[in-house]
Amino acid sequence: MSAALHDSEALRGEVWRVAGAVTDPEIPVLSIADLGVLRDVAIVDGRVEVAITPTYSGCPAMNMIALEIELALEKAGIGPVTVKTVLSPAWTTEWMTEDGRRKLREYGIAPPAKGGGRRALFGEDQVACPQCGSTSTAELAPFGSTSCKSLWQCKTCREPFDYFKCH
Amino acid sequence: MAGASITVAETPLVRYLLRRADDALILGHRLSEWCGKAPMMEEEMALANMGLDLIGQARSLYTYAGEVEAAGRDEDAYAYLRDVRGYGNLLLVEQPNGDFAATMVRQLFYSAFIDPYWRALMGSSDATLAAIAAKAEKESAYHVRHSAEWVIRLGDGTPESHRRAQEALDGLWAFTGEMFETDAGERSLIAEGIVPDPEALRAVWLESVAKVVAQAGLTLPQNAWMQKGGRSGEHSEHLGHLLSDLQYMQRAFPGATW
Ligand SMILES: [Zn+2]
């Protein structure tokens, strides 16, 4: 392996680490690596290319995330950087890491139901309360504070909570 | 000269992308008009969220149209600098919000069509279109469910809500035929496997709408006459008013950014 190639592999790893640590401005406990939004890192002619994919068509956080990636890499002395958006394959909540799901729960948001497929979109009758773990919960509103969440309430501890919807 | 209207060099694919983007943008804008006026807090958020989904879908489609046209135009150029006649959206989506029942019936008519449509488009031979559809399909599924629930609740509610829901169905029915229309350009895209044939979705659409209408205790309109023209730029007066609001800043202050 040539020294240059070795260096570029090391650089890729470093970019993944730094860019992946950028957090979602709407859910600051989740990094874009946790979310599965960070898709690819490439070094092309000495330029760093970072590929991200939007969670939702209208996600207003994407511009912010791209900017945060550029800032984080610049701070780490890495550049020049291009952040591009890729649409295919389409993001799904299935890509959220186990670690991300745990962080979400600890933050008070119920993580998306696992299982994928279209039926999971509407199979939320088993959403566990992130506060007490009870599955005796009910949806209050199908559209919540951001486009990725709906509003629920726990019938056991009475706490309202956000549910990260399946997509 | 920014601010002046643009004329788009329309190939069948560019025209197709702009029409679908226009549907999403105009309906998204209509939903945004409910901001601050929705009947309850939860609906305020639901309508804004659905509007945001639609405007997001429009952005993806306009951006792709810009790549295909290759004339250096971005999403904003298409949204802000085309005149009424340049817009190819369905007449259905430009209809005024009316009361809450009319907004929900309009949403049901559109969503029950576009949801299976996006799903069919996921099989497109065009990878970008397939990817846009894959994202939009998950969003439209929520829109179908939400609008269906409301139409059922209104139809099966008080005599007043029932009357209004029925009036909305009757009033908007004539705008549904246009969803299944295609022109020669779109048919060439269908033949190439780039886009699905909307006509093939008519039965699915009718079945899902009829199911909701029956559950709501409402009557499915029977009139066969359909209003057309949106796809070829012949719009009702409503779209001009909507665009004067949507495009005001870019027209008054060309190239303004912040
Ligand atoms: Zn609880």
Side-chain angles (χ1 to χ4, degrees):
Chain A
M1 189 185 271
S2 75
L5 191 61
H6 186 83
D7 285 353
S8 110
E9 270 312 297
L11 177 59
R12 264 190 92 234
E14 180 67 0
V15 173
W16 262 106
R17 197 184 60 74
V18 175
V22 165
T23 55
D24 181 330
E26 285 173 350
I27 309 168
V29 290
L30 284 190
S31 71
I32 59 170
D34 293 330
L35 273 165
V37 157
L38 179 60
R39 300 312 297 161
D40 193 30
V41 172
I43 315 294
V44 183
D45 299 331
R47 270 195 87 82
V48 176
E49 280 187 11
V50 178
I52 55 174
T53 194
T55 50
Y56 298 84
S57 300
C59 184
M62 292 311 291
N63 292 345
M64 181 83 177
I65 288 173
L67 192 67
E68 296 269 343
I69 291 172
E70 286 174 23
L71 285 174
L73 290 173
E74 195 188 312
K75 225 169 153 185
I78 300 170
V81 179
T82 309
V83 180
K84 59 174 186 177
T85 303
V86 292
L87 294 175
S88 183
W91 182 84
T92 154
T93 39
E94 292 292 299
W95 292 352
M96 194 181 288
T97 62
E98 276 309 320
D99 202 33
R101 301 168 68 85
R102 179 186 52 79
K103 288 187 210 166
L104 209 51
R105 207 176 294 116
E106 285 169 7
Y107 188 58
I109 300 174
K114 277 226 147 188
R118 194 173 171 79
R119 292 190 54 198
L121 283 180
F122 301 117
E124 307 115 327
D125 43 337
Q126 276 292 303
V127 175
C129 168
Q131 309 291 343
C132 75
S134 167
T135 50
S136 175
T137 58
E139 186 185 70
L140 293 180
F143 294 87
S145 53
T146 66
S147 44
C148 60
K149 289 177 259 160
S150 54
L151 186 62
W152 286 63
Q153 187 175 26
C154 176
K155 291 178 185 170
T156 305
C157 72
R158 313 300 298 169
E159 283 291 319
F161 65 90
D162 275 337
Y163 169 58
F164 199 113
K165 291 192 272 191
C166 282
H167 260 242
Chain B
M1 188 173 76
S5 301
I6 57 167
T7 307
V8 180
E10 293 191 350
T11 62
L13 183 56
V14 170
R15 189 178 304 128
Y16 168 86
L17 290 168
L18 292 180
R19 285 171 175 171
R20 299 288 162 190
D22 292 345
D23 287 344
L25 177 70
I26 300 303
L27 187 55
H29 184 88
R30 279 290 184 228
L31 294 182
S32 79
E33 291 172 354
W34 275 103
C35 274
K37 302 177 200 163
M40 61 180 88
M41 189 62 193
E42 288 79 3
E43 250 349 88
E44 185 79 26
M45 282 152 70
L47 292 162
N49 267 306
M50 293 196 293
L52 186 63
D53 286 342
L54 289 162
I55 289 166
Q57 293 161 11
R59 293 184 61 182
S60 299
L61 291 163
Y62 285 135
T63 299
Y64 186 40
E67 286 170 28
V68 177
E69 194 197 5
R73 286 195 245 277
D74 62 4
E75 46 182 317
D76 288 348
Y78 296 118
Y80 294 130
L81 302 178
R82 280 179 307 143
D83 289 328
V84 177
R85 293 296 303 243
Y87 266 76
N89 60 273
L90 299 165
L91 296 175
L92 175 68
V93 299
E94 73 194 45
Q95 296 310 304
N97 286 339
D99 57 20
F100 187 66
T103 290
M104 282 301 150
V105 167
R106 185 185 63 198
Q107 195 65 42
L108 177 67
F109 282 164
Y110 177 77
S111 302
F113 165 74
I114 205 69
D115 184 51
Y117 186 88
W118 290 132
R119 214 142 49 243
L121 188 60
M122 285 166 67
S124 171
S125 58
D126 181 314
T128 306
L129 265 182
I132 293 171
K135 195 158 285 302
E137 182 259 350
K138 293 173 177 173
E139 294 154 356
S140 60
Y142 282 104
H143 302 183
V144 175
R145 183 173 66 166
H146 190 67
S147 53
E149 281 174 1
W150 268 111
V151 170
I152 292 166
R153 196 165 154 188
L154 294 169
D156 196 23
T158 65
E160 177 71 4
S161 71
H162 178 91
R163 181 184 64 77
R164 288 181 181 232
Q166 188 63 54
E167 271 176 16
L169 280 176
D170 296 341
L172 291 165
W173 184 253
F175 297 108
T176 57
E178 205 179 15
M179 295 190 289
F180 308 99
E181 218 185 277
T182 47
D183 62 4
E186 188 166 334
R187 281 193 292 277
S188 71
L189 298 174
I190 293 167
E192 290 170 70
I194 296 171
V195 304
D197 186 351
E199 186 55 47
L201 299 170
R202 188 190 284 270
V204 176
W205 173 82
L206 190 60
E207 195 194 330
S208 46
V209 169
K211 211 171 118 191
V212 173
V213 168
Q215 220 183 320
L218 296 161
T219 309
L220 200 67
Q222 295 301 321
N223 53 316
W225 183 80
M226 290 291 160
Q227 184 83 253
K228 288 169 186 178
R231 288 288 187 234
S232 46
E234 293 151 36
H235 294 280
S236 59
E237 77 274 21
H238 307 301
L239 185 63
H241 295 297
L242 185 154
L243 290 181
S244 69
D245 184 14
L246 189 149
Q247 299 182 333
Y248 174 78
M249 284 298 283
Q250 281 306 319
R251 299 294 190 158
F253 304 96
T257 56
W258 62 85

